[in-house]
Amino acid sequence: MTVWTRTQSSTQSVSIGGFSFPSSSVICSVLDSQRDGFLGKTYIFLIIGRPRDTQALLASQDLSMEKLEVEPGPLPCDYRVDRRVLNEQELEETGQRSQSPKPSRWFTLPRCSTAVAWATLCRFLPILSWLPKYPAREFLLGDLLSGLSVGIVQLPQGLAYALLAGLPPVFGLYSSFYPVFVYFLFGTSRHISVGTFAVISVMVGSVSEALAPNDAFLVPGNDTEVNEIARDATRVKVASALSFLVGVFQVGMGLLQFGFVVTYLSEPLVRGYTTAASVQVLVSQLKHVFGLSVKDYSGPLSQIYIVLEIIWKLPESNVGTVVTALIASTLLLAMKIINQKLGRKLPVPMPSELIMLIGATAISYGVGLKEKFKVDIVGNIPAGLEPPQLFDYHFFGKIVGNAFAISVVGFAIAISLGKIFGMKHGYEVDNNQELIALGLSNFFGSFFQCFPISCSMSRSLVQEGSGGNTQIAGAISSLLILIVIIKLGELFYHLPKAILASIIIVNLKGMFVQFSDICYLWKANRVDLLIWLVTFVATVLLNLDIGLAVAIVFSLLSVVFRTQLPHYSILGQVPDTDIYRDVTQYKEAREVPGVKIFSSSATLYFANAEFYRQALKEKIGLDVDHLIAKKKKLIKKQRLKTKKLQKKENRQKKAAARKVPLDSSEPNSMNVKIEEMDIENAQVGGVDRPDNAVVNDKGFTLTLEALGLPQPHFHNLILDLGTLNFVDTVCIKTLKNIFRDFQEIEVNVYLAGCHV
């Protein structure tokens, strides 16, 4: 087949074998082609017309389908591509299509060799692959300074975030030491700083305070005094059991290669969730800022109850605590602004939190804030490390759902930061190994009374910005925390809790900036804005675990709805081009006469199959079902009339057979009369069967014109399936029904751009 190919359309007509066609009556199939070093598009033209007209044309021009020549006229650049028309089977034979490989067994025995064993060990213990090649001269100084900087930041954050988890501050130090060292051995990211994190800590606090509320540990005979020692011991057991389950979930998902699960947490969802969590963090610290004693609420609307109670008790606020928190917050903000303004000129960032800790502790000890102004202080921080202890497994049934939510959120935050730093510095972060590393950090930490950890954005920026190159910086920071735990922890006995609350609130500044996402998403994508808002509202009102479940379900449903209700359009040709666009959006786009090109912006599957059929009927402006029903009704009437005529004919035959004697000449004359009567009966309603009926192997079918029904204003329908990326049984059934329905009304259906 000889096909004309062009790179620029400038003609209004196409000449085929000496016969001129308007360009709008030719369908063009586009193929990428390269010939004689020229890359262009191959346009294969198909004449759209009635079968009879096309056959008459071919007969009058004496054209052969094997040598169809298209002559477009003069063009800036044109060439010819000669090939024969292939069907699907011939294409597979010519191209030697390979068969789909057979699925392998789900389990194959590993090959026993030293190289395979070493590669497997390095994959699960990445430190073996990079530590022997560690360039000490280049990286050691940067890692040392970075580790000290991160440790200085991690110390106050560890103490502060323990309050978020509802635990004594020393357990924040434990959670800043053990998990960090484990991640140093198993992690693949070089720059993230694992340890305590505000969002994870507040999720832990919601669980520990719900299972060990203050009301359950009141001193007998006193309705206001709480046995803090017993309460804290129970909360530590809850947090340890939670850390164990989080570790089990993360390690299990990593071993099962479930690292892809984070892909279901879209960026608007994660940002909306962390913003809502930051609001909960702020609400949880208000009692320390105002020096109030508030009941422990849990479950849906708990944050609303806490805010209402704090507002109700504001007249009872401790003035000394409020002043301490305000002064500390102001100084912290000022030092952070100085860090931002002079960050490039300073060799290392100013340790604002550590300066605040030391200064506040010294002032509290010298002035006597606890004795004179009733300001709550941290109290005793035991020196030394606690021996490993077994957690209480009786809590598992009550915290399994929260543990799964924490494992997913913690991994999502860590892997998102890890991917950012990996892309920036040119190394790969393994999703599944990160799950295993975080899981082992939480798993081993649970035996040393640690609560679940993740990655901190602020500390990661400090680690990367101060020259950190590997996780040796994290190991150095954990050693600094170890020194504090063993020798220096008791020095923070007089540290006011309001200072820790101020550190937490000021560090939320970056989280609250995410409220600007609302304006950005309003302009960019309102569906993503809806996901952000639903996630935020659900998390604030329904608590962190239920809010995450609602957010994930809503996010997935939004994908379903967007594919279920896509944009449907009728395409028309833009003048003097071979480009087809929606005729409702492009005023100059013109439909090809007698042809409807229907396009959908989403794939066709079970969820939108019915909408696809309805939209097709609406866009083409034709009620196909009604037309088919009228046709069937008229055909049914026609058949009833035919049956009545046949019965009448049979009665006449029987009557004639009784009256007419059996003579050799009479039957012949009788047969002639019957044949004449049959021909008359075949003409019903003025319709002559040979001229107005379509004859097929099943007999004949009356046409719409023969039945007196209106004919469609087009005779060819093209379904653009370029967006089809998979096929299910409902899709196949829908396409079959479309073919059948439009054949009933004498419209040919073609599929275009189907790559499945």
Side-chain angles (χ1 to χ4, degrees), residues 11-293:
T11 60
Q12 299 297 328
S13 63
V14 176
S15 178
I16 302 178
F19 192 89
S20 180
F21 286 91
S23 59
S24 60
S25 65
V26 176
I27 291 181
C28 177
S29 176
V30 184
L31 302 173
D32 290 322
S33 63
Q34 185 173 6
R35 186 166 182 168
D36 297 332
F38 180 80
L39 179 63
K41 297 286 185 180
T42 301
Y43 298 84
I44 301 175
F45 291 89
L46 173 66
I47 306 169
I48 299 300
R50 297 279 185 182
R52 292 181 180 176
D53 299 337
T54 304
Q55 292 174 5
L57 168 65
L58 295 178
S60 62
Q61 298 296 323
D62 193 18
L63 295 176
S64 173
M65 293 303 293
E66 297 296 331
K67 296 181 180 180
L68 181 62
E69 182 178 353
V70 182
E71 301 174 359
L75 285 174
C77 184
D78 63 296
Y79 59 95
R80 301 164 71 125
V81 177
D82 298 335
R83 72 167 178 85
R84 63 190 181 91
V85 179
L86 301 175
N87 57 29
E88 190 68 24
Q89 182 178 358
E90 291 173 342
L91 178 61
E92 293 179 0
E93 294 175 355
T94 304
Q96 296 183 0
R97 179 180 178 181
S98 59
Q99 298 295 328
S100 300
K102 294 182 179 180
S104 58
R105 293 183 299 172
W106 68 276
F107 176 77
T108 56
L109 294 175
R111 296 167 53 193
C112 295
S113 67
T114 305
V116 172
W118 178 252
T120 303
L121 183 61
C122 290
R123 185 162 59 90
F124 286 101
L125 201 60
I127 191 174
L128 297 177
S129 61
W130 63 264
L131 188 59
K133 305 175 184 177
Y134 181 75
R137 292 184 179 180
E138 300 178 18
F139 288 173
L140 184 57
L141 181 60
D143 284 339
L144 179 61
L145 294 176
S146 177
L148 293 175
S149 301
V150 172
I152 290 172
V153 176
Q154 192 157 357
L155 171 61
Q157 288 187 359
L159 294 172
Y161 292 159
L163 295 181
L164 287 179
L167 307 175
V170 68
F171 293 98
L173 297 180
Y174 295 158
S175 300
S176 300
F177 169 65
Y178 293 105
V180 175
F181 189 75
V182 174
Y183 185 85
F184 163 71
L185 300 175
F186 294 94
T188 60
S189 177
R190 303 175 189 173
H191 295 89
I192 66 172
S193 174
V194 297
T196 56
F197 181 53
V199 174
I200 302 299
S201 299
V202 75
M203 295 179 75
V204 175
S206 65
V207 179
S208 62
E209 292 175 359
L211 296 181
N214 290 331
D215 296 342
F217 298 93
L218 296 176
V219 176
N222 191 338
D223 295 338
T224 58
E225 186 177 357
V226 178
N227 186 351
E228 295 183 356
I229 297 177
R231 181 201 64 186
D232 292 343
T234 303
R235 289 182 177 180
V236 168
K237 292 180 180 179
V238 173
S240 300
L242 192 62
S243 181
F244 176 81
L245 282 183
V246 170
V248 169
F249 279 128
Q250 289 178 334
V251 172
M253 287 189 293
L255 293 176
L256 295 175
Q257 307 293 302
F258 273 18
F260 67 89
V261 71
V262 72
T263 58
Y264 294 104
L265 303 179
S266 64
E267 183 180 0
L269 187 150
V270 173
R271 293 178 70 87
Y273 186 81
T274 53
T275 306
S278 65
V279 172
Q280 292 208 11
V281 171
L282 175 63
V283 171
S284 68
Q285 295 308 298
L286 291 178
K287 60 183 179 183
H288 298 296
V289 171
F290 293 101
L292 299 174
S293 177

Side-chain angles (χ1 to χ4, degrees), residues 506-583:
V506 171
N507 282 326
L508 293 176
K509 180 170 65 78
M511 293 284 190
F512 290 138
V513 172
Q514 294 180 155
F515 277 108
S516 62
D517 291 349
I518 296 176
C519 297
Y520 168 74
L521 293 175
W522 175 264
K523 300 176 182 177
N525 191 312
R526 296 187 182 180
V527 175
D528 286 344
L529 173 62
L530 190 60
I531 294 173
W532 196 100
L533 293 175
V534 169
T535 303
F536 177 82
V537 173
T539 304
V540 170
L541 296 182
L542 303 179
N543 218 339
L544 294 166
D545 50 349
I546 302 176
L548 179 62
V550 171
I552 294 175
V553 171
F554 183 82
S555 179
L556 295 178
L557 287 177
S558 69
V559 177
V560 175
F561 289 149
R562 276 184 275 189
T563 59
Q564 192 174 13
L565 301 172
H567 176 69
Y568 298 106
S569 59
I570 295 294
L571 303 183
Q573 184 184 22
V574 180
D576 297 331
T577 69
D578 47 21
I579 300 174
Y580 290 83
R581 289 294 183 265
D582 187 357
V583 294

Side-chain angles (χ1 to χ4, degrees), residues 358-601:
I358 296 174
T361 303
I363 294 173
S364 176
Y365 175 74
V367 176
L369 294 180
K370 173 67 175 175
E371 294 78 12
K372 294 182 179 180
F373 301 100
K374 305 299 180 181
V375 176
D376 288 339
I377 60 176
V378 170
N380 183 41
I381 298 179
L385 298 174
E386 293 288 335
Q389 296 183 17
L390 188 64
F391 44 81
D392 192 349
Y393 60 87
H394 293 95
F395 291 112
F396 283 177
K398 300 177 182 179
I399 63 177
V400 61
N402 302 90
F404 183 77
I406 293 174
S407 65
V408 173
V409 174
F411 172 63
I413 295 170
I415 197 61
S416 60
L417 282 177
K419 292 287 187 182
I420 292 173
F421 289 123
M423 292 175 61
K424 182 177 180 180
H425 294 277
Y427 63 89
E428 185 177 356
V429 178
D430 187 351
N431 290 11
N432 296 309
Q433 183 59 31
E434 283 296 293
L435 263 175
I436 295 174
L438 288 174
L440 291 176
S441 299
N442 286 310
F443 179 81
F444 286 112
S446 65
F447 295 98
F448 297 93
Q449 300 178 329
C450 299
F451 55 86
I453 56 91
S454 182
C455 164
S456 170
M457 181 182 299
S458 60
R459 292 198 308 271
S460 298
L461 292 175
V462 170
Q463 180 168 326
E464 190 259 350
S466 57
N469 297 289
T470 65
Q471 280 300 327
I472 287 180
I476 293 173
S477 69
S478 66
L479 292 178
L480 183 61
I481 298 297
L482 177 62
I483 295 173
V484 174
I485 293 173
I486 295 176
K487 293 295 183 181
L488 305 179
E490 57 188 12
L491 298 179
F492 295 102
Y493 178 89
H494 293 280
L495 177 65
K497 290 184 177 180
I499 300 297
L500 297 179
S502 299
I503 292 174
I504 293 172
I505 293 173
V506 171
N507 282 326
L508 293 176
K509 180 170 65 78
M511 293 284 190
F512 290 138
V513 172
Q514 294 180 155
F515 277 108
S516 62
D517 291 349
I518 296 176
C519 297
Y520 168 74
L521 293 175
W522 175 264
K523 300 176 182 177
N525 191 312
R526 296 187 182 180
V527 175
D528 286 344
L529 173 62
L530 190 60
I531 294 173
W532 196 100
L533 293 175
V534 169
T535 303
F536 177 82
V537 173
T539 304
V540 170
L541 296 182
L542 303 179
N543 218 339
L544 294 166
D545 50 349
I546 302 176
L548 179 62
V550 171
I552 294 175
V553 171
F554 183 82
S555 179
L556 295 178
L557 287 177
S558 69
V559 177
V560 175
F561 289 149
R562 276 184 275 189
T563 59
Q564 192 174 13
L565 301 172
H567 176 69
Y568 298 106
S569 59
I570 295 294
L571 303 183
Q573 184 184 22
V574 180
D576 297 331
T577 69
D578 47 21
I579 300 174
Y580 290 83
R581 289 294 183 265
D582 187 357
V583 294
T584 61
Q585 296 179 354
Y586 290 78
K587 296 181 180 179
E588 294 299 324
R590 296 291 181 265
E591 295 184 42
V592 179
V595 179
K596 290 287 184 180
I597 306 176
F598 180 73
S599 179
S600 171
S601 62

Side-chain angles (χ1 to χ4, degrees), residues 601-632:
S601 62
T603 188
L604 175 61
Y605 70 117
F606 71 92
N608 63 3
E610 188 61 30
F611 296 102
Y612 187 90
R613 291 189 63 190
Q614 293 177 0
L616 173 61
K617 296 171 185 177
E618 292 175 1
K619 290 293 182 180
I620 64 176
L622 180 64
D623 192 346
V624 180
D625 295 333
H626 179 68
L627 188 57
I628 293 175
K630 291 181 67 176
K631 178 181 177 181
K632 290 182 177 180

Side-chain angles (χ1 to χ4, degrees), residues 706-725:
L707 294 171
L709 295 175
Q711 293 179 285
H713 55 283
F714 60 96
H715 47 76
N716 287 281
L717 172 65
I718 299 176
L719 302 180
D720 181 11
L721 301 181
T723 58
L724 197 68
N725 52 23

Side-chain angles (χ1 to χ4, degrees), residues 656-667:
R658 295 193 197 97
K659 297 179 180 179
V660 179
L662 295 177
D663 187 71
S664 58
S665 60
E666 287 296 328

